[in-house]
Coordinates of all heavy atoms in Angstrom, one line a residue:
M8 N 151.1 -69.3 14.3 CA 149.7 -69.6 14.7 C 149.3 -68.7 15.9 O 150.0 -68.5 16.8 CB 149.5 -71.1 15.0 CG 148.1 -71.5 15.0 SD 148.0 -73.4 15.0 CE 147.9 -73.6 16.8
R9 N 148.0 -68.3 15.8 CA 147.5 -67.4 16.9 C 147.3 -68.1 18.2 O 146.8 -69.2 18.2 CB 146.2 -66.8 16.4 CG 145.6 -65.8 17.5 CD 144.4 -65.1 17.0 NE 143.9 -64.3 18.1 CZ 142.7 -63.7 18.1 NH1 142.0 -63.8 17.0 NH2 142.3 -63.0 19.1
Q10 N 147.8 -67.5 19.3 CA 147.7 -68.1 20.6 C 146.5 -67.5 21.3 O 146.3 -66.3 21.3 CB 148.9 -67.9 21.4 CG 150.2 -68.6 20.9 CD 150.1 -70.1 20.9 OE1 149.7 -70.7 21.9 NE2 150.3 -70.8 19.8
Y11 N 145.6 -68.3 21.9 CA 144.5 -67.8 22.6 C 144.8 -67.8 24.1 O 145.6 -68.7 24.6 CB 143.2 -68.7 22.4 CG 142.7 -68.5 21.0 CD1 143.1 -69.4 20.0 CD2 141.9 -67.4 20.6 CE1 142.7 -69.2 18.7 CE2 141.5 -67.3 19.3 CZ 141.8 -68.2 18.4 OH 141.4 -68.0 17.1
P12 N 144.3 -66.9 24.9 CA 144.6 -66.8 26.3 C 144.1 -68.1 27.0 O 143.1 -68.7 26.6 CB 143.9 -65.6 26.8 CG 143.0 -65.2 25.8 CD 143.4 -65.8 24.5
D13 N 144.9 -68.6 28.0 CA 144.5 -69.8 28.8 C 143.4 -69.4 29.7 O 143.7 -68.7 30.7 CB 145.8 -70.3 29.5 CG 145.5 -71.6 30.1 OD1 144.6 -72.3 29.7 OD2 146.3 -72.0 31.0
M14 N 142.2 -69.8 29.5 CA 141.1 -69.5 30.4 C 140.1 -70.7 30.4 O 140.1 -71.5 29.5 CB 140.4 -68.2 30.0 CG 139.8 -68.2 28.7 SD 139.3 -66.5 28.1 CE 138.2 -65.9 29.3
S15 N 139.4 -70.8 31.5 CA 138.5 -71.9 31.7 C 137.3 -71.7 30.8 O 137.0 -70.6 30.4 CB 138.1 -72.0 33.2 OG 137.2 -70.9 33.5
F16 N 136.6 -72.8 30.6 CA 135.3 -72.8 29.8 C 134.4 -71.8 30.5 O 133.7 -71.0 29.8 CB 134.7 -74.2 29.7 CG 133.4 -74.2 29.0 CD1 133.4 -74.1 27.6 CD2 132.2 -74.3 29.6 CE1 132.2 -74.1 26.9 CE2 131.0 -74.3 28.9 CZ 131.0 -74.2 27.6
E17 N 134.3 -71.8 31.8 CA 133.3 -71.0 32.5 C 133.7 -69.5 32.3 O 132.8 -68.6 32.0 CB 133.3 -71.3 34.0 CG 132.6 -72.6 34.3 CD 133.4 -73.8 34.0 OE1 134.6 -73.7 33.8 OE2 132.8 -74.9 33.8
D18 N 135.0 -69.2 32.4 CA 135.4 -67.8 32.2 C 135.2 -67.3 30.8 O 134.8 -66.2 30.5 CB 136.9 -67.6 32.5 CG 137.2 -67.7 34.0 OD1 136.2 -67.5 34.8 OD2 138.3 -67.9 34.4
R19 N 135.4 -68.3 29.8 CA 135.2 -67.9 28.4 C 133.7 -67.6 28.2 O 133.3 -66.7 27.5 CB 135.6 -69.1 27.5 CG 135.8 -68.7 26.1 CD 136.5 -69.9 25.3 NE 137.8 -70.1 25.7 CZ 138.9 -69.5 25.3 NH1 138.7 -68.5 24.4 NH2 140.1 -69.8 25.7
M20 N 132.8 -68.5 28.8 CA 131.4 -68.3 28.6 C 130.9 -67.0 29.3 O 129.8 -66.5 28.9 CB 130.6 -69.5 29.1 CG 130.8 -70.7 28.3 SD 130.6 -70.4 26.5 CE 129.0 -69.8 26.4
D21 N 131.7 -66.5 30.3 CA 131.3 -65.2 30.9 C 131.4 -64.1 30.0 O 130.9 -63.0 30.3 CB 132.2 -65.0 32.2 CG 131.6 -65.7 33.4 OD1 130.5 -66.2 33.3 OD2 132.3 -65.8 34.4
T22 N 132.1 -64.3 28.8 CA 132.2 -63.2 27.9 C 131.1 -63.2 26.8 O 131.1 -62.5 25.9 CB 133.5 -63.3 27.1 OG1 133.5 -64.5 26.3 CG2 134.7 -63.3 28.1
V23 N 130.1 -64.1 27.1 CA 129.0 -64.2 26.1 C 127.7 -63.8 26.8 O 127.4 -64.3 27.9 CB 128.8 -65.7 25.6 CG1 127.7 -65.8 24.6 CG2 130.1 -66.1 25.0
D24 N 126.9 -63.0 26.2 CA 125.6 -62.6 26.6 C 124.5 -63.2 25.7 O 124.8 -63.5 24.5 CB 125.4 -61.1 26.6 CG 126.0 -60.4 27.8 OD1 126.3 -61.1 28.8 OD2 126.3 -59.2 27.7
F25 N 123.3 -63.4 26.2 CA 122.2 -63.9 25.4 C 121.1 -62.9 25.4 O 120.6 -62.6 26.5 CB 121.7 -65.3 25.9 CG 122.8 -66.3 25.8 CD1 123.6 -66.6 26.9 CD2 122.9 -67.1 24.7 CE1 124.5 -67.6 26.9 CE2 123.9 -68.1 24.7 CZ 124.7 -68.3 25.8
E26 N 120.8 -62.3 24.3 CA 119.6 -61.5 24.2 C 118.5 -62.4 23.7 O 118.4 -62.6 22.5 CB 119.8 -60.3 23.3 CG 120.9 -59.3 23.7 CD 120.4 -58.5 25.0 OE1 119.2 -58.4 25.2 OE2 121.3 -58.1 25.7
V27 N 117.7 -62.9 24.6 CA 116.7 -63.9 24.2 C 115.5 -63.2 23.4 O 114.9 -62.3 23.8 CB 116.1 -64.5 25.5 CG1 115.0 -65.6 25.1 CG2 117.2 -65.2 26.3
G28 N 115.3 -63.8 22.2 CA 114.3 -63.3 21.3 C 112.9 -64.0 21.7 O 112.9 -65.0 22.4
Q29 N 111.8 -63.3 21.3 CA 110.5 -63.9 21.5 C 110.3 -65.1 20.7 O 109.6 -66.1 21.1 CB 109.4 -62.8 21.2 CG 109.5 -61.6 22.1 CD 109.1 -62.0 23.5 OE1 108.1 -62.7 23.8 NE2 109.8 -61.5 24.5
R30 N 110.8 -65.1 19.5 CA 110.6 -66.2 18.6 C 111.7 -67.3 18.7 O 112.9 -67.0 18.6 CB 110.6 -65.7 17.1 CG 110.4 -66.8 16.1 CD 110.6 -66.2 14.7 NE 111.9 -65.7 14.4 CZ 112.9 -66.5 14.0 NH1 112.7 -67.8 13.8 NH2 114.1 -66.0 13.8
P31 N 111.3 -68.5 19.1 CA 112.4 -69.6 19.1 C 113.0 -69.8 17.8 O 112.3 -70.0 16.8 CB 111.6 -70.8 19.5 CG 110.3 -70.4 20.0 CD 110.0 -69.1 19.4
H32 N 114.4 -69.7 17.7 CA 115.0 -69.8 16.4 C 115.3 -71.3 16.1 O 115.6 -71.7 15.0 CB 116.4 -69.1 16.4 CG 117.4 -69.5 17.4 ND1 117.2 -69.3 18.7 CD2 118.5 -70.2 17.2 CE1 118.2 -69.8 19.3 NE2 119.0 -70.4 18.5
I33 N 115.1 -72.2 17.1 CA 115.2 -73.6 16.9 C 113.9 -74.2 17.6 O 113.6 -73.9 18.7 CB 116.4 -74.2 17.6 CG1 117.7 -73.7 16.9 CG2 116.4 -75.8 17.5 CD1 118.9 -74.2 17.5
T34 N 113.2 -75.1 16.8 CA 112.1 -75.8 17.4 C 112.4 -77.3 17.2 O 113.0 -77.7 16.2 CB 110.8 -75.4 16.8 OG1 110.8 -75.6 15.4 CG2 110.4 -74.0 17.1
V35 N 111.9 -78.1 18.1 CA 112.1 -79.6 18.0 C 110.8 -80.2 18.1 O 109.9 -79.9 18.9 CB 113.0 -80.0 19.2 CG1 113.2 -81.5 19.2 CG2 114.4 -79.3 19.2
D36 N 110.5 -81.1 17.1 CA 109.3 -81.9 17.1 C 109.4 -83.2 17.9 O 110.0 -84.2 17.5 CB 108.9 -82.2 15.6 CG 107.6 -82.8 15.5 OD1 107.1 -83.4 16.5 OD2 107.0 -82.7 14.4
S37 N 108.9 -83.1 19.1 CA 109.1 -84.2 20.1 C 108.4 -85.5 19.6 O 108.9 -86.6 19.9 CB 108.6 -83.8 21.4 OG 109.0 -84.7 22.4
D38 N 107.4 -85.4 18.8 CA 106.7 -86.5 18.2 C 107.7 -87.3 17.3 O 107.7 -88.6 17.4 CB 105.5 -86.2 17.4 CG 104.4 -85.7 18.3 OD1 104.4 -86.0 19.5 OD2 103.5 -84.9 17.8
I39 N 108.5 -86.6 16.5 CA 109.5 -87.3 15.7 C 110.6 -87.9 16.6 O 111.1 -89.0 16.4 CB 110.1 -86.3 14.7 CG1 109.0 -85.9 13.7 CG2 111.2 -86.9 13.9 CD1 109.4 -84.8 12.7
C40 N 111.0 -87.2 17.6 CA 112.1 -87.6 18.5 C 111.7 -88.9 19.2 O 112.6 -89.7 19.5 CB 112.4 -86.6 19.5 SG 113.1 -85.0 18.8
R41 N 110.5 -89.2 19.4 CA 110.1 -90.4 20.1 C 110.5 -91.7 19.3 O 110.8 -92.7 19.9 CB 108.6 -90.5 20.3 CG 108.2 -89.7 21.6 CD 106.7 -90.0 21.9 NE 106.3 -88.8 22.7 CZ 105.7 -87.7 22.3 NH1 105.4 -87.7 21.0 NH2 105.5 -86.7 23.0
S42 N 110.7 -91.6 18.0 CA 111.1 -92.7 17.2 C 112.6 -92.8 17.1 O 113.2 -93.6 16.4 CB 110.4 -92.7 15.9 OG 110.8 -91.6 15.1
C43 N 113.3 -91.8 17.7 CA 114.8 -91.7 17.6 C 115.4 -92.5 18.7 O 115.2 -92.2 19.9 CB 115.2 -90.3 17.6 SG 117.0 -90.1 17.7
T44 N 116.2 -93.6 18.4 CA 116.7 -94.4 19.4 C 118.1 -93.9 19.9 O 118.6 -94.4 21.0 CB 116.9 -95.9 18.9 OG1 117.7 -95.8 17.7 CG2 115.5 -96.5 18.6
T45 N 118.7 -93.1 19.1 CA 120.1 -92.7 19.5 C 120.2 -91.4 20.3 O 121.1 -91.2 21.1 CB 121.0 -92.6 18.2 OG1 120.3 -91.8 17.2 CG2 121.2 -94.0 17.6
K46 N 119.4 -90.5 19.9 CA 119.3 -89.2 20.6 C 120.7 -88.5 20.7 O 121.1 -88.1 21.8 CB 118.6 -89.3 22.0 CG 117.1 -89.8 21.8 CD 116.3 -89.5 23.0 CE 114.8 -89.6 22.8 NZ 114.3 -90.7 21.9
E47 N 121.3 -88.4 19.6 CA 122.7 -87.8 19.6 C 122.7 -86.3 20.1 O 123.6 -85.9 20.7 CB 123.2 -87.7 18.2 CG 123.5 -89.1 17.6 CD 122.4 -89.6 16.8 OE1 121.2 -89.2 17.0 OE2 122.7 -90.5 15.9
C48 N 121.6 -85.6 19.9 CA 121.5 -84.2 20.3 C 121.7 -84.0 21.8 O 122.3 -83.0 22.3 CB 120.1 -83.6 19.9 SG 118.8 -84.5 20.7
V49 N 121.3 -85.0 22.6 CA 121.4 -84.9 24.1 C 122.9 -84.8 24.5 O 123.2 -84.0 25.4 CB 120.7 -86.1 24.8 CG1 121.0 -86.1 26.3 CG2 119.3 -86.1 24.5
H50 N 123.7 -85.5 23.8 CA 125.2 -85.5 24.2 C 125.9 -84.5 23.4 O 127.0 -84.0 23.8 CB 125.8 -86.9 23.9 CG 125.0 -88.0 24.6 ND1 125.1 -88.1 26.0 CD2 124.1 -88.9 24.2 CE1 124.3 -89.1 26.4 NE2 123.7 -89.6 25.3
A51 N 125.5 -84.1 22.2 CA 126.2 -83.3 21.3 C 126.0 -81.8 21.6 O 127.0 -81.0 21.3 CB 125.8 -83.5 19.8
C52 N 124.9 -81.4 22.1 CA 124.7 -80.0 22.3 C 125.6 -79.5 23.5 O 125.5 -80.0 24.6 CB 123.2 -79.7 22.7 SG 122.9 -78.0 23.2
P53 N 126.5 -78.5 23.2 CA 127.4 -78.1 24.3 C 126.7 -77.3 25.4 O 127.2 -77.2 26.5 CB 128.4 -77.1 23.5 CG 127.6 -76.7 22.3 CD 126.7 -77.8 21.9
A54 N 125.5 -76.8 25.1 CA 124.7 -76.1 26.2 C 123.7 -77.0 26.9 O 123.0 -76.6 27.8 CB 124.0 -74.9 25.5
K55 N 123.7 -78.3 26.5 CA 122.8 -79.3 27.2 C 121.4 -78.8 27.2 O 120.7 -78.9 28.2 CB 123.3 -79.5 28.6 CG 124.7 -79.9 28.8 CD 125.0 -81.3 28.3 CE 126.4 -81.8 28.5 NZ 126.9 -82.6 27.4
L56 N 120.9 -78.5 26.0 CA 119.5 -77.9 25.9 C 118.5 -79.0 25.5 O 117.3 -78.7 25.5 CB 119.5 -76.8 24.9 CG 120.4 -75.6 25.2 CD1 120.3 -74.5 24.2 CD2 120.1 -75.0 26.6
F57 N 118.9 -80.2 25.1 CA 118.0 -81.2 24.8 C 117.9 -82.2 25.9 O 118.9 -82.8 26.3 CB 118.6 -82.0 23.5 CG 118.6 -81.2 22.3 CD1 119.6 -80.3 22.0 CD2 117.6 -81.3 21.3 CE1 119.6 -79.5 20.9 CE2 117.6 -80.6 20.2 CZ 118.6 -79.7 19.9
V58 N 116.7 -82.3 26.5 CA 116.5 -83.1 27.7 C 115.5 -84.2 27.3 O 114.4 -83.9 27.0 CB 116.0 -82.3 28.9 CG1 115.8 -83.1 30.1 CG2 117.0 -81.2 29.2
P59 N 115.9 -85.5 27.5 CA 115.0 -86.6 27.2 C 113.8 -86.6 28.2 O 114.0 -86.3 29.4 CB 115.8 -87.9 27.4 CG 117.2 -87.4 27.4 CD 117.2 -86.0 27.9
T60 N 112.6 -86.8 27.7 CA 111.4 -86.9 28.6 C 111.0 -88.3 28.8 O 111.5 -89.2 28.1 CB 110.2 -86.1 27.9 OG1 110.0 -86.7 26.7 CG2 110.5 -84.7 27.8
G61 N 110.2 -88.6 29.8 CA 109.8 -89.9 30.2 C 109.1 -90.7 29.1 O 109.1 -91.9 29.1
D62 N 108.4 -90.0 28.2 CA 107.7 -90.6 27.2 C 108.5 -90.8 25.9 O 108.0 -91.2 24.8 CB 106.4 -89.8 26.8 CG 106.7 -88.5 26.2 OD1 107.9 -88.1 26.2 OD2 105.8 -87.8 25.8
G63 N 109.8 -90.6 26.0 CA 110.7 -90.9 24.9 C 110.9 -89.7 23.9 O 111.7 -89.8 22.9
G64 N 110.3 -88.6 24.3 CA 110.5 -87.4 23.5 C 111.7 -86.5 23.9 O 112.5 -87.0 24.7
I65 N 111.7 -85.3 23.5 CA 112.7 -84.3 23.9 C 112.1 -83.0 24.3 O 111.2 -82.5 23.7 CB 113.6 -84.1 22.7 CG1 114.5 -85.3 22.4 CG2 114.5 -82.8 22.9 CD1 115.7 -85.5 23.4
L66 N 112.6 -82.5 25.5 CA 112.2 -81.2 25.9 C 113.3 -80.3 25.5 O 114.5 -80.5 25.8 CB 112.0 -81.2 27.4 CG 111.6 -79.9 28.1 CD1 110.2 -79.5 27.6 CD2 111.7 -80.0 29.6
F67 N 113.0 -79.2 24.8 CA 114.1 -78.3 24.3 C 113.9 -76.9 24.7 O 112.7 -76.4 24.7 CB 114.1 -78.4 22.7 CG 115.1 -77.4 22.1 CD1 116.5 -77.7 22.2 CD2 114.7 -76.3 21.5 CE1 117.4 -76.9 21.7 CE2 115.7 -75.4 21.0 CZ 117.0 -75.7 21.1
N68 N 115.0 -76.2 25.1 CA 114.9 -74.8 25.5 C 115.9 -74.0 24.7 O 117.1 -74.2 24.8 CB 115.2 -74.8 27.0 CG 115.3 -73.3 27.5 OD1 115.0 -72.4 26.8 ND2 115.8 -73.2 28.7
Y69 N 115.4 -73.1 23.9 CA 116.3 -72.4 22.9 C 117.0 -71.3 23.6 O 117.9 -70.7 23.0 CB 115.4 -71.9 21.8 CG 114.5 -70.7 22.1 CD1 114.9 -69.4 21.9 CD2 113.3 -70.9 22.7 CE1 114.1 -68.3 22.2 CE2 112.5 -69.8 23.1 CZ 112.9 -68.5 22.8 OH 112.1 -67.5 23.1
E70 N 116.7 -70.9 24.8 CA 117.1 -69.6 25.3 C 118.6 -69.4 25.5 O 119.2 -68.3 25.4 CB 116.4 -69.3 26.6 CG 114.9 -69.1 26.4 CD 114.1 -68.8 27.6 OE1 114.8 -68.7 28.7 OE2 112.9 -68.6 27.6
Q71 N 119.3 -70.5 25.8 CA 120.8 -70.4 26.1 C 121.5 -71.0 24.9 O 122.7 -71.5 25.1 CB 121.1 -71.1 27.4 CG 120.5 -70.5 28.6 CD 121.1 -69.2 28.9 OE1 122.3 -69.0 29.0 NE2 120.3 -68.1 29.0
C72 N 121.0 -71.1 23.7 CA 121.6 -71.7 22.6 C 122.8 -70.9 22.1 O 122.7 -69.6 22.0 CB 120.6 -71.8 21.4 SG 121.3 -72.3 19.9
F73 N 123.9 -71.5 21.8 CA 125.2 -70.9 21.4 C 125.2 -70.6 19.9 O 126.1 -70.1 19.3 CB 126.4 -71.8 21.6 CG 126.6 -72.1 23.1 CD1 127.4 -73.2 23.4 CD2 126.1 -71.3 24.1 CE1 127.6 -73.6 24.7 CE2 126.4 -71.7 25.4 CZ 127.1 -72.8 25.7
E74 N 124.1 -71.1 19.2 CA 124.0 -71.0 17.7 C 125.2 -71.7 17.0 O 125.7 -71.2 16.0 CB 123.9 -69.6 17.3 CG 122.7 -68.8 17.9 CD 122.8 -67.3 17.8 OE1 123.3 -66.9 16.7 OE2 122.5 -66.7 18.8
C75 N 125.6 -72.8 17.5 CA 126.8 -73.5 16.9 C 126.4 -74.4 15.8 O 127.2 -74.7 14.9 CB 127.5 -74.4 18.0 SG 126.5 -75.8 18.6
G76 N 125.1 -74.8 15.7 CA 124.6 -75.6 14.6 C 124.9 -77.1 14.7 O 124.5 -77.9 13.8
T77 N 125.5 -77.5 15.8 CA 125.8 -79.0 16.0 C 124.6 -79.9 15.9 O 124.6 -80.9 15.2 CB 126.5 -79.2 17.3 OG1 127.7 -78.4 17.3 CG2 126.9 -80.6 17.5
C78 N 123.5 -79.5 16.6 CA 122.3 -80.3 16.6 C 121.8 -80.5 15.2 O 121.3 -81.6 14.9 CB 121.3 -79.7 17.5 SG 120.8 -78.0 17.1
Y79 N 121.8 -79.5 14.4 CA 121.3 -79.6 13.1 C 122.1 -80.5 12.2 O 121.6 -81.2 11.3 CB 121.2 -78.2 12.4 CG 120.4 -78.1 11.2 CD1 119.0 -78.2 11.2 CD2 121.0 -77.9 9.9 CE1 118.3 -78.2 10.0 CE2 120.3 -77.8 8.8 CZ 118.9 -78.0 8.8 OH 118.2 -77.9 7.7
Q80 N 123.4 -80.5 12.5 CA 124.3 -81.4 11.7 C 124.2 -82.8 12.1 O 124.3 -83.7 11.2 CB 125.8 -80.9 11.9 CG 126.1 -79.6 11.4 CD 126.0 -79.5 9.8 OE1 126.4 -80.5 9.2 NE2 125.5 -78.4 9.3
I81 N 124.0 -83.1 13.4 CA 124.1 -84.5 13.8 C 122.7 -85.2 13.7 O 122.7 -86.5 13.7 CB 124.7 -84.7 15.2 CG1 124.0 -83.8 16.2 CG2 126.2 -84.3 15.1 CD1 123.1 -84.6 17.1
C82 N 121.6 -84.5 13.7 CA 120.3 -85.1 13.8 C 120.0 -85.8 12.4 O 120.1 -85.1 11.4 CB 119.2 -84.1 14.1 SG 117.5 -84.8 14.1
N83 N 119.6 -87.0 12.4 CA 119.4 -87.8 11.2 C 117.9 -87.9 10.9 O 117.5 -88.6 9.9 CB 120.0 -89.2 11.3 CG 121.5 -89.1 11.1 OD1 122.0 -88.3 10.3 ND2 122.2 -89.8 12.0
K84 N 117.0 -87.4 11.7 CA 115.6 -87.5 11.5 C 115.0 -86.3 10.8 O 115.0 -85.2 11.4 CB 114.9 -87.7 12.8 CG 115.1 -89.0 13.5 CD 114.0 -90.0 13.2 CE 114.3 -91.3 13.9 NZ 113.6 -92.4 13.3
A85 N 114.6 -86.4 9.6 CA 114.1 -85.3 8.8 C 112.9 -84.6 9.6 O 112.0 -85.3 10.0 CB 113.6 -85.7 7.4
G86 N 113.0 -83.3 9.7 CA 111.9 -82.6 10.3 C 111.9 -82.5 11.8 O 111.1 -81.8 12.4
A87 N 112.8 -83.2 12.5 CA 112.9 -83.2 13.9 C 113.3 -81.8 14.4 O 112.7 -81.3 15.4 CB 113.8 -84.2 14.5
I88 N 114.3 -81.2 13.8 CA 114.8 -79.9 14.2 C 114.5 -78.9 13.1 O 114.9 -79.1 11.9 CB 116.3 -79.9 14.5 CG1 116.5 -80.8 15.7 CG2 116.8 -78.5 14.8 CD1 118.0 -81.0 16.0
T89 N 113.9 -77.8 13.4 CA 113.8 -76.7 12.5 C 114.7 -75.6 13.0 O 114.6 -75.1 14.1 CB 112.3 -76.2 12.5 OG1 111.5 -77.3 12.1 CG2 112.2 -75.0 11.4
W90 N 115.7 -75.2 12.2 CA 116.8 -74.3 12.6 C 116.8 -73.0 11.8 O 116.9 -73.1 10.6 CB 118.1 -75.1 12.4 CG 119.2 -74.7 13.4 CD1 119.6 -75.3 14.5 CD2 120.1 -73.6 13.2 NE1 120.6 -74.7 15.1 CE2 121.0 -73.7 14.3 CE3 120.3 -72.6 12.2 CZ2 122.1 -72.7 14.4 CZ3 121.3 -71.7 12.4 CH2 122.2 -71.8 13.5
T91 N 116.7 -71.9 12.4 CA 116.9 -70.6 11.8 C 117.8 -69.8 12.7 O 118.1 -70.2 13.8 CB 115.6 -69.9 11.5 OG1 115.0 -69.6 12.8 CG2 114.6 -70.6 10.6
Y92 N 118.2 -68.6 12.2 CA 119.0 -67.7 13.0 C 118.0 -66.9 13.8 O 116.9 -66.6 13.4 CB 119.9 -66.8 12.2 CG 121.1 -67.5 11.6 CD1 121.1 -68.0 10.3 CD2 122.1 -67.9 12.4 CE1 122.2 -68.7 9.8 CE2 123.2 -68.6 11.9 CZ 123.2 -69.0 10.6 OH 124.3 -69.7 10.1
P93 N 118.4 -66.4 15.0 CA 117.6 -65.5 15.8 C 117.3 -64.2 15.1 O 118.1 -63.8 14.2 CB 118.4 -65.2 17.1 CG 119.4 -66.3 17.1 CD 119.7 -66.7 15.7
D94 N 116.2 -63.5 15.4 CA 115.9 -62.2 14.8 C 117.0 -61.3 15.1 O 117.8 -61.4 16.1 CB 114.6 -61.7 15.4 CG 113.4 -62.6 15.0 OD1 113.5 -63.2 13.8 OD2 112.4 -62.7 15.7
G95 N 117.2 -60.3 14.3 CA 118.3 -59.3 14.5 C 118.3 -58.7 15.9 O 117.2 -58.4 16.4
G96 N 119.5 -58.6 16.4 CA 119.6 -58.0 17.8 C 119.4 -59.0 18.9 O 119.5 -58.6 20.1
H97 N 119.1 -60.2 18.5 CA 118.9 -61.3 19.6 C 119.9 -62.4 19.4 O 120.6 -62.4 18.4 CB 117.5 -61.8 19.5 CG 116.5 -60.7 19.8 ND1 115.9 -60.0 18.8 CD2 115.9 -60.3 20.9 CE1 115.1 -59.1 19.3 NE2 115.0 -59.3 20.7
G98 N 119.9 -63.3 20.4 CA 120.8 -64.4 20.3 C 122.1 -64.1 21.0 O 122.2 -63.4 22.0
V99 N 123.2 -64.7 20.5 CA 124.5 -64.6 21.2 C 125.1 -63.2 21.0 O 125.1 -62.7 19.8 CB 125.5 -65.7 20.7 CG1 126.9 -65.4 21.2 CG2 125.0 -67.0 21.0
V100 N 125.6 -62.6 22.0 CA 126.3 -61.3 22.0 C 127.6 -61.5 22.6 O 127.7 -61.9 23.8 CB 125.5 -60.2 22.7 CG1 126.3 -58.9 22.6 CG2 124.1 -60.1 22.2
F101 N 128.7 -61.3 21.9 CA 130.1 -61.4 22.4 C 130.6 -60.1 22.9 O 130.4 -59.1 22.3 CB 131.0 -62.0 21.3 CG 130.7 -63.3 20.9 CD1 130.0 -63.5 19.7 CD2 131.0 -64.4 21.6 CE1 129.6 -64.8 19.3 CE2 130.7 -65.7 21.2 CZ 130.0 -65.9 20.0
R102 N 131.2 -60.2 24.1 CA 131.9 -59.0 24.6 C 133.4 -59.3 24.6 O 133.9 -60.4 24.8 CB 131.5 -58.8 26.1 CG 130.1 -58.5 26.3 CD 129.9 -58.0 27.8 NE 130.6 -58.8 28.8 CZ 129.9 -59.8 29.4 NH1 128.7 -60.1 29.2 NH2 130.6 -60.5 30.3
K103 N 134.2 -58.2 24.3 CA 135.6 -58.4 24.3 C 136.2 -57.9 25.6 O 135.7 -57.0 26.2 CB 136.3 -57.6 23.2 CG 136.0 -58.2 21.8 CD 136.9 -57.6 20.8 CE 136.9 -58.4 19.5 NZ 137.7 -57.9 18.5
G104 N 137.3 -58.5 26.1 CA 138.0 -58.0 27.2 C 137.6 -58.7 28.5 O 136.8 -59.6 28.5
Ligands
LIG202 S1 116.5 -83.9 17.7 FE1 117.2 -85.5 16.3 S2 118.8 -86.6 17.3 FE2 117.7 -85.4 18.9 S3 116.2 -86.9 19.7 FE3 115.2 -85.7 18.0 S4 115.4 -86.9 16.2 FE4 116.9 -87.7 17.7
LIG203 S1 122.8 -74.8 17.9 FE1 124.4 -75.7 19.3 S2 124.0 -74.8 21.3 FE2 122.2 -74.4 20.0 S3 120.8 -76.1 20.5 FE3 122.0 -76.7 18.7 S4 123.8 -77.8 19.5 FE4 122.8 -76.7 21.2

């Protein structure tokens, strides 16, 4: 089995760049989120990009998204999350070394 180097999460994330696109590749309909009592996305997103608002909705920022797809998998409310890939040349860029 392949062994990965022992490094911290922060050091690992230092090998990732984000080329932020003009078009959000994920949008969240906060009106739908207001009726969501569980808000799994807040805890599931590894980048902590879903922030509950005082009115029961969600404030979402796509710019530091890892493109892992977790939010799309765990959200049970149809239409709450619209998920596409970033435009070519944008999004996550991995560096080696
Ligand atoms: S994105 Fe989905 S899981 Fe998150 S608050 Fe909205 S409806 Fe709930
Ligand atoms: S794709 Fe992953 S990193 Fe991006 S918003 Fe969803 S859970 Fe967070």
Side-chain angles (χ1 to χ4, degrees):
M8 197 167 93
R9 182 173 174 193
Q10 295 293 311
Y11 291 95
D13 188 21
M14 61 195 301
S15 70
F16 178 77
E17 287 74 21
D18 286 344
R19 198 173 292 276
M20 290 314 299
D21 276 347
T22 67
V23 180
D24 282 338
F25 299 90
E26 294 292 336
V27 178
Q29 294 293 312
R30 179 186 65 84
H32 63 291
I33 296 177
T34 56
V35 178
D36 188 335
S37 193
D38 288 339
I39 295 177
C40 295
R41 275 191 205 95
S42 64
C43 174
T44 56
T45 49
K46 297 203 167 33
E47 292 95 337
C48 58
V49 174
H50 306 288
C52 174
K55 306 287 182 217
L56 300 180
F57 292 80
V58 178
T60 57
D62 65 355
I65 287 287
L66 182 66
F67 177 73
N68 174 10
Y69 73 98
E70 296 181 357
Q71 297 291 306
C72 171
F73 301 158
E74 301 164 42
C75 66
T77 303
C78 55
Y79 193 70
Q80 293 295 323
I81 55 106
C82 178
N83 287 318
K84 290 261 181 206
I88 296 178
T89 303
W90 208 98
T91 60
Y92 287 102
D94 294 330
H97 297 90
V99 173
V100 180
F101 294 99
R102 297 193 310 265
K103 286 195 169 179

